[in-house]
Amino acid sequence: MKTETVKSIILAVLVLISIFFTWNIWTYQPNYNEIQNTKYVENNPLSNVTKKIHEVILPMQLLVHENQHYYGTYDEELISKLWEEMRKWELRRFRNISDEIKKEFGFYQWLNGQVEGDHKFICFMFSDTIPLSSLNTVTEWTEKDTYNIKFDRLFIPFSNDSSNHIMYFVDVENEYVVQAEIESALSETWKVIYDSAKNDFHRFILWNDRIYLPEKPLPMKGEKYITKFLSGERFKEVLFSNPSYVKKDVNGSEYIYTDSSRQLVINEGQGRVLYVNPTIDQSLTTEKGKLILQSIDFLNAHGGWISGYNDYKYFTTDQEQKIYYRLTVNHFPVFSFTDSHYTITSIIQSWGNNEIALYQRPLFYLDDFIQEEEMELPGSDKVIAAIENDSSIDEYEIKRIFPSYDIQSTTQPNIVYLHPVWCIELTNGKYQMINMKNAHLGGDDDGLE
C-alpha cells in the first residue's frame, strides 16, 4: 500500500472522529430531571448529628394507675430508660379487644381505671398516635397482621405473677385497644417504679374523664440560653443539588434563593427557614409510618437535627400530612406563643410522591446554657379555674393539657428565656397557652408561684 493511500485513510478516520465529537457536543442535553430528583446532598451537612426513630419518638409522660388514684412524672431519664427496655421486649399474639372492653366496662371507664376490682397498671402517653409500622426496625413488636395498629398510649398491667405479662396498645380517639403478650422477662425496675410512685411521683387528678392534671403545683425551671443563627448559604448548599445554578435576591430581612423550580427563603427577622418545591404533587398521600421514617432520613442526611441543646422530638402529623418535630428542653416542648422574633420552634415537612415539597424550620439554635431558676406551674385547681373563666376556651374541645415552655426574647441580644407555661391542645389541632390571670385565685399574674 502506498504511503499516500495510508495517509488518506488516517485523515479520513480523523475527520470522521472529529465529526462524531462535534455532533455530540451540539446535541448534548444534560439530564436535568436527574438533578431535580436528587433529594439532598450529604457532602457538607449542617451538623454531624443523626437520630434513630426510637430517639425521636418517645413517650411524653408516665402515669401509674392504682384503683382510681394516679401518679405521674415527666422525667426524661426514667422514661427513656423504660422505653429502651420496652422496645426490646418480644411481643406475640396480638389481638383486637376493643369490643370486649366496651361491652364489659365501657371504653373510658376502662381507660381511667374506673372499674371494679384490682385495677393497676403503668401507662405511657404520647403526643400523637404512632403507627406500629414506624417502629418495625427498632422493636420486636411486629407480626404480619399488626401493621395497621396506631397508638397514643401503652398500658402495662401490674401483676405479681411474673410468668404472665401483657401490654395494651390504645388509640384513644378511635377507642381502639389491641392486646399483646410479653414473652420477655420484665426487669425488677418495673416493680420498683410501681411501688415508689406514691412517694416519688406527682399525684394527678382526672378532670372531665379525659384530662390528667397534677393536683399540686408542678416544679419546673425557667432557663436562659444564648442563641445563634444558621447561615442561609449553608441551607443553600445542602438543599439544592446544584448550588452553582441558584440565584440569590434580598428583600428586607429576607434572603431568597431560587433555581428553576425550588425556592429557599431565609427570614432573619422572624428566625425561620422556608424551602418549597411547588412542582411536587402533595395530594398524593403517604402512609404515616413511612412518612415519619423518610422525614427522619431527610434530616439525618443533611444534619438538620443540629447539635447541643437542640433536641427535636416527633410531635404530631396534621390532617394535611405535615409532620412536626418540636424543639424540646428537659423533655418539655417549646412553643412561640408571645415572641415576634423567635416565631417558630418546630421542624415541619410536607411530602408528595416520596419527594420533599415543603421544609420549614427555625433559623436559630440554642448554642449555650446560661442560667436557670426554680419555679412552679400552678396545680389543677388554678388550671381548671383559668380555663372555666376564659370564654375563648370550650373545655370539651380540649384534647390534652401539658407543661411546656414559651420562648421569649430578652433585653440582651441573642439571649432567650424559656418561660414555663401550661399548654392546651385542642381537638382541631391548635395549641394555646393557658392565661393564668383568669384563675383569680391569687399568685403571680403569669400563674407561676
Side-chain angles (χ1 to χ4, degrees):
M1 185 179 293
K2 294 182 179 181
T3 305
E4 289 77 7
T5 304
V6 174
K7 290 181 179 179
S8 298
I9 293 173
I10 293 174
L11 180 60
V13 171
L14 291 174
V15 169
L16 289 173
I17 292 173
S18 177
I19 292 172
F20 172 78
F21 282 113
T22 302
W23 174 257
N24 276 275
I25 292 171
W26 286 348
T27 60
Y28 172 71
Q29 291 184 352
N31 188 351
Y32 289 110
N33 289 330
E34 182 178 346
I35 293 174
Q36 295 295 340
N37 290 334
T38 303
K39 297 182 180 67
Y40 30 70
V41 294
E42 305 178 17
N43 295 332
N44 187 26
L46 298 174
S47 73
N48 294 321
V49 179
T50 60
K51 291 192 176 184
K52 297 179 180 178
I53 189 166
H54 64 273
E55 298 171 318
V56 177
I57 293 180
L58 204 68
M60 284 190 67
Q61 183 181 3
L62 185 157
L63 203 65
V64 172
H65 292 227
E66 183 178 10
N67 301 324
Q68 300 186 49
H69 297 289
Y70 315 104
Y71 309 92
T73 181
Y74 300 95
D75 184 271
E76 182 175 16
E77 184 177 355
L78 175 61
I79 291 173
S80 296
K81 178 181 179 180
L82 295 175
W83 180 237
E84 179 70 15
E85 182 175 331
M86 288 169 62
R87 71 182 187 85
K88 296 177 182 178
W89 287 347
E90 292 184 18
L91 302 186
R92 298 293 181 266
R93 290 175 284 280
F94 287 76
R95 188 166 65 91
N96 182 355
I97 61 169
S98 306
D99 292 339
E100 297 173 34
I101 293 291
K102 293 173 187 176
K103 183 177 180 180
E104 185 174 356
F105 306 109
F107 176 77
Y108 280 97
Q109 287 74 21
W110 175 84
L111 183 74
N112 298 317
Q114 298 169 323
V115 298
E116 294 182 3
D118 202 23
H119 199 71
K120 303 176 181 180
F121 52 82
I122 295 174
C123 171
F124 292 89
M125 306 175 76
F126 295 78
S127 62
D128 188 31
T129 53
I130 309 300
L132 188 61
S133 61
S134 66
L135 300 171
N136 182 26
T137 60
V138 294
T139 67
E140 298 293 334
W141 296 358
T142 52
E143 285 185 343
K144 224 157 100 180
D145 56 350
T146 62
Y147 285 87
N148 291 326
I149 295 175
K150 295 182 177 66
F151 61 92
D152 53 11
R153 297 190 193 180
L154 294 174
F155 287 88
I156 298 95
F158 181 78
S159 171
N160 290 320
D161 181 5
S162 60
S163 63
N164 183 26
H165 293 287
I166 58 177
M167 183 160 74
Y168 299 108
F169 295 84
V170 182
D171 179 349
V172 175
E173 183 176 354
N174 294 304
E175 301 184 9
Y176 185 74
V177 184
V178 172
Q179 174 185 293
E181 295 181 18
I182 306 172
E183 294 196 343
S184 307
L186 273 63
S187 71
E188 186 67 18
T189 304
W190 294 87
K191 184 178 187 305
V192 171
I193 288 172
Y194 187 88
D195 290 342
S196 63
K198 289 182 182 180
N199 297 321
D200 296 344
F201 293 175
H202 307 287
R203 181 161 184 161
F204 279 66
I205 64 140
L206 178 65
W207 179 54
N208 283 347
D209 292 327
R210 301 185 314 281
I211 310 296
Y212 295 100
L213 293 169
E215 187 176 62
K216 297 180 179 180
L218 182 71
M220 284 190 70
K221 296 176 181 179
E223 298 187 349
K224 282 186 177 181
Y225 289 86
I226 296 173
T227 63
K228 287 186 178 179
F229 285 75
L230 296 162
S231 163
E233 292 293 320
R234 294 295 307 282
F235 282 101
K236 182 190 80 170
E237 294 293 327
V238 299
L239 294 178
F240 291 94
S241 53
N242 201 330
S244 61
Y245 290 134
V246 175
K247 177 184 175 183
K248 178 181 177 181
D249 294 305
V250 180
N251 182 17
S253 63
E254 288 188 344
Y255 296 85
I256 304 169
Y257 301 83
T258 55
D259 66 4
S260 60
S261 61
R262 294 163 291 185
Q263 183 180 76
L264 170 67
V265 180
I266 306 296
N267 190 320
E268 293 186 346
Q270 296 184 343
R272 67 171 62 210
V273 177
L274 174 62
Y275 169 85
V276 293
N277 186 348
T279 66
I280 302 300
D281 184 2
Q282 297 183 56
S283 66
L284 301 173
T285 59
T286 303
E287 188 271 324
K288 188 174 180 180
K290 182 179 178 181
L291 182 66
I292 293 173
L293 291 171
Q294 69 184 19
S295 65
I296 292 173
D297 288 343
F298 173 75
L299 289 167
N300 282 340
H302 71 270
W305 300 109
I306 311 301
S307 58
Y309 298 94
N310 304 276
D311 188 17
Y312 285 87
K313 293 287 195 301
Y314 172 74
F315 201 67
T316 190
T317 303
D318 66 16
Q319 294 179 348
E320 298 177 349
Q321 280 216 315
K322 288 181 181 176
I323 186 166
Y324 293 75
Y325 295 93
R326 187 167 292 278
L327 177 65
T328 63
V329 174
N330 302 323
H331 205 51
F332 299 114
V334 179
F335 290 83
S336 178
F337 289 121
T338 59
D339 201 86
S340 60
H341 183 52
Y342 298 92
T343 59
I344 181 171
T345 55
S346 289
I347 295 173
I348 307 168
Q349 297 179 35
S350 182
W351 290 73
N353 196 26
N354 297 322
E355 295 282 348
I356 186 76
L358 177 143
Y359 175 39
Q360 192 170 4
R361 62 166 299 138
L363 182 62
F364 71 90
Y365 60 97
L366 304 180
D367 182 58
D368 200 6
F369 172 78
I370 300 177
Q371 66 181 44
E372 64 183 18
E373 56 180 336
E374 301 288 339
M375 46 188 27
E376 293 179 328
L377 281 176
S380 58
D381 55 349
K382 291 188 178 182
V383 173
I384 294 170
I387 292 171
E388 291 178 341
N389 292 330
D390 190 336
S391 60
S392 69
I393 300 176
D394 180 350
E395 64 183 65
Y396 294 102
E397 294 297 319
I398 297 175
K399 185 175 181 180
R400 62 192 178 101
I401 301 174
F402 54 93
S404 63
Y405 285 114
D406 179 32
I407 190 169
Q408 301 174 353
S409 300
T410 67
T411 55
Q412 300 168 286
N414 297 324
I415 293 180
V416 295
Y417 180 63
L418 300 184
H419 183 68
V421 296
W422 280 111
C423 181
I424 291 174
E425 180 186 1
L426 300 170
T427 54
N428 63 6
K430 303 295 184 182
Y431 297 89
Q432 181 175 336
M433 180 177 68
I434 297 178
N435 185 354
M436 294 307 303
K437 293 179 181 179
N438 294 322
H440 297 302
L441 293 174
D444 297 336
D445 284 345
D446 60 4
L448 294 170
E449 299 179 347

